[in-house]
Amino acid sequence: MTTHGAAPGYRATTTLPLRVELVRQLRRRRTVLTLGFLALLPFLLWLAFRIGRDDRTRGGATLADLATASGLNFVMFTLFSTVSFLLVVVVALFFGDTVASEASWSSLRYLLAAPVPRGRLLRQKAVVAALLSVFALVLLPVVAMAVGVVAYGETDLISPTGQSLAFLPAASRLALVPAYLALQLAWVAGLALLLSVSTDAPLGAVGGAVMASILSQILETINALGDLRDYLPTRFNSAWADLLASPIDWTHLASGAFSGLTYATVFGLAAWWRFATKDITS
Amino acid sequence: MSRTIRRRLLVVLVITAVIAGAGVMLAIRATASSTRQVATENVTIDVPEGPGSAGQVHLDATVYRPAVTPAPAVLVAHGFGGSKNSVSTEATALARRGFVVLAWSARGFGASTGQIGLDSPDYEVADARALVDWLAKRPDVVRDGPGDPRVGVTGASYGGALALLLAGTDRRVDALAPEITWNDLSQALFPNAASPTSIRTATPAAGAFAPDGVFKRDWAGYFFGAGLAGAGGLCGRFPPEVCAAYVQAATTGSPTPEIVQLLHRSSPAAVAGNITAPTLLIQGEHDTLFGLDQADATARQLASAGAPLKVIWYAGGHDGGEPDAALQEQVGAWFDYHLRRKGSDPGTGFDYQVPGIFGTRSGVAQRTVHAPTYPGLDGVPVQRRELTLHGGPQPVIRPPGGSPAALSSLPGLSSALPAVATNGVAMDLPGQTATFSTDPLPDSLEITGAPQIRLRVAAAQTNTTAPPSDAVLFVKLYDVGPDGRRTLPGAAVAPVRIGPLAADGAPTEVTVTLAGVVRPVQAGHRLEVAVATTDRGYALPPQPAGYTVSLAPDGHLAVPVVPGEQAAAPLPVVQLAGLGILTALVLALGIVAALRRRHSEDADSGMAGVPLVVSGLTKRYPGGLTAVDDLSFRVEHGQVLGLLGPNGAGKTTVLRMLMGLVIPTGGQLRVFGHRVSAGSPVLSRVGSFVEGPGFLPHLTGAANLRLYWAATGRPAADAGIEETLEIAGLGHAVHRRVGTYSQGMKQRLAIAQAMLGKPDLLVLDEPTNGLDPPQIYAMREVLRDFAARGATVLVSSHLLAEVEQTCSHVVVMHRGRLVAAGTVAEIVAAAGVGIDGVDSRHQLEEAFLQLVGRQAIE
């Protein structure tokens, strides 16, 4: 069935194919730079550990001390040092920039008049942003793993609870980390998307989502808030470390996934509602 | 929306509402049960002052009443320096569980009168028995018999010892949960971890408990100070005999037999053998005051008395934090089961927490290991792994006055400075320390308890002093990383006093139990035993001395290991259910949206040939601005229609509504009979250029057009990209990034984009803005060609000449309203402008001004 009244060959369900949107995004310098930086970061960390010297001989170990214990620990350290800020920025960038930048270039109105149905445009853009985000979440540990194994060998992982995990089981546990991070960071994606359809300033959308993350982490440090802090979206952002304990304690992981997806759903629906009903004046 | 759709939508909404409602109900119920009302009642309970006195002591107490009574009771005793208020959280939690809870300030603390008797059987323990009597008289407390209430007792430290002492002297106690407390106070304050004979090895943390120990000066002083708080004088609220004992110990560093006697009386060790009530024994792994050896001794006594016993070692203690909410929950469950058979049997196993080896942002990660029994109590001794130590005889010196001294922990400060507890402050001094090290461990090892070692110590002649008659040494166990980093697990030190030493330098051989710790040691790390002559936490002999320390011939390190299962956390059912509900909700919404989309067509087949019909179109913005007001006009096939009006007339808003970008507040637009809404498929027959170009600046002009066409999803062959690029006339510039284009170039590219796929209706908003005259001329030609090929063109402009020269028909707008519509000639005629005598170029302008002027006056 051809769509009513459409030009020949036009079908709403084939507008803005993912491939096209992906090309549109991948040809942007910010995409390439972001992914390139993530791929470069493990090398910078490796260099830092090589150049720097730690002369402390007493006191307890920190995560950084163990980073060079094995390739896997290097991956763990890389994730640990990027989860609370850098990866938030990356996800916020891919989702927050996607609609707002089209609005700022005025190309949004031509896409919508093509016409790409609004719901579909938002969905395709969200899917591509999600693909890029997941790629970034996988890229970082994969490069870190390559750098780590070459630099520090494929010995056992020392988990935060002091357990030794053999290389292969530990590597498969680490492979689950990006999956969890993707679920946990979904709230950033949802919020950034909501902001992206609400403003014509890409920086505002990205910055807004990052600020929300920072605010949440600040509130998390206030002990007086007690159990209320469990409702903060960043509350479970370090629960991925639970994946490295034996046996895995799924409590915080499930809480983090639930919290992340709930926020993402609420923000995502709000974004969809806002975008479907707003007047495009950019 | 059709009726069936509406019904389906309703069903989905109802289901969603029911699911959401059920979730809310569950949440509310869960909240309600945890905040169940607890009534508190402040009471003063008078108890006899003590043996040989007719006076009374007034104990300040609070009763926490649960919602349902009668109920079993729980006594909650506070720690040294605290009061009944310092246990209010625990007391409230237990009352919420359904116990009548009695918390009181021990004599000498808080608002209670009397003097501090150090958990003396004659004073504090007698007080607690009186409180049990008092509870027996209350109608809201369940009784097992006359004068015998169903009662449990718990408390930490000072309160924990009281719990043991009460249970050991009062058979009416039905269950107890002592936390981080002592077994033998004289050993806690004057520990000696070395014994010339062998030390029992069956249990994991058995201590030497040898006599004549080393005074734990800092901790003792810290606690004596806590007892002085709020009271004047040297002795504060201590009775003279306790005060004198402390002064004696603090000044000489060694206890008199009377002091030992006094401390023994205050020790559960004296009575724990009588306890048969179920006991949950909780001890901290970070506790340099009451270490794991104290709980180990209590556990042995309780086991021999036949008390059902569960032991928990947790990653805290006097140096690392009080038992947390999760542990208090276990205490509550213990009383639930043993006082009223509620909940599941907590069993009689042994749980220990393994602290992680480094801190994360949310604190030190830890895990809990569960063993079926506390090893050594049922006849099966704990496993000990024997590690060979290396290191020859080493001379060590104790400096005069014991200064400078090594540092291992900061009593009383560690809990205030978590970093100290986590990272330790351990520091040894050269010349004072002998070290013996293992080889790097081939695989990881988990120290669970107190390792043992056999050492030889000999007196050494120094230049200035005679050989010492006995030795005071401090034995520590370090975890040494491959990079040389040393960590002192638990900040723990085993002080030893070895004597008498032979004056001729012949060694004395002793067995030393190191402090009990739980520590995962990684493969590749070494364990190092350090024997130091000084430690700042202890009273040191002021005389300088020299010793030679060496390993006994069989001098290996016997490390206790308790295999167990990682306590697996229960599956997080609530969160998983939440994820399920969330998924169902999103799916339902997706289905509703799809159904709505499929049925939103609105077409009038009678108008299929009419490119555009605008009827009653109105757009009001929030805030009262009416951009378009009841506008109606038609565009017929093949027309080149000019939408004319001054800036702000609402032309662009009309075009935006035509493109489905702005949603009309009233009226409608129909394009080829199809009503336009956001994303209407019929818009694919419309090519548009509205309010300036919109391109991706990082792509070339050609790439922009190709990707734009690709985004429409239509066949590439239909685009006619080459032709339109020709129309744009950009030459080689099409292969440059759009970001480098001039405004005019962008404009032409945008108009070319609007023409992609040969639309049936071309909408151009101010197309000649920014173009130079030859380009304007070319543009007109293009538009005429376009119309000649059967397409319809709608051009908006505020330039009259432009419209006049390009268009066949005109719609004149002003302030959102239609002013006039018709052919150019009709408009001119209607405006009443004489044709003669006026330059044709200005005809429309005259007409326009007339029309607009008339409108403005109206």
Side-chain angles (χ1 to χ4, degrees), chain A residues 16 57 65-66 109-110 255, chain B residues 358 485-486 575 691-692 711:
Chain A
L16 194 59
T57 53
D65 297 325
L66 274 180
R109 57 171 176 261
Y110 294 107
S255 297
Chain B
F358 43 68
R485 174 163 311 182
R486 295 145 59 81
Q575 291 93 325
E691 246 188 331

Side-chain angles (χ1 to χ4, degrees), chain B residues 159-198:
Chain B
L162 183 85
L164 285 163
L165 286 159
L166 175 64
T169 53
D170 192 333
R171 291 256 158 202
R172 293 175 295 177
V173 173
D174 300 292
L176 63 158
E179 299 164 4
I180 57 172
T181 194
W182 66 87
N183 173 262
D184 182 340
L185 194 53
S186 69
Q187 268 301 321
L189 296 178
F190 299 93
N192 186 0
S195 167
T197 57
S198 72

Side-chain angles (χ1 to χ4, degrees), chain B residues 215-251:
Chain B
F215 183 46
K216 205 180 272 179
R217 189 188 60 200
D218 276 14
W219 265 123
Y222 182 75
F223 271 86
F224 190 76
L228 296 181
L234 172 66
C235 291
R237 294 174 79 171
F238 287 103
E241 65 271 25
V242 174
C243 186
Y246 175 74
V247 171
Q248 155 75 18
T251 45

Side-chain angles (χ1 to χ4, degrees), chain B residues 365-382:
Chain B
Q366 61 199 30
R367 60 197 152 95
T368 302
V369 178
H370 178 78
T373 55
Y374 190 75
L377 299 184
D378 55 359
V380 184
V382 69

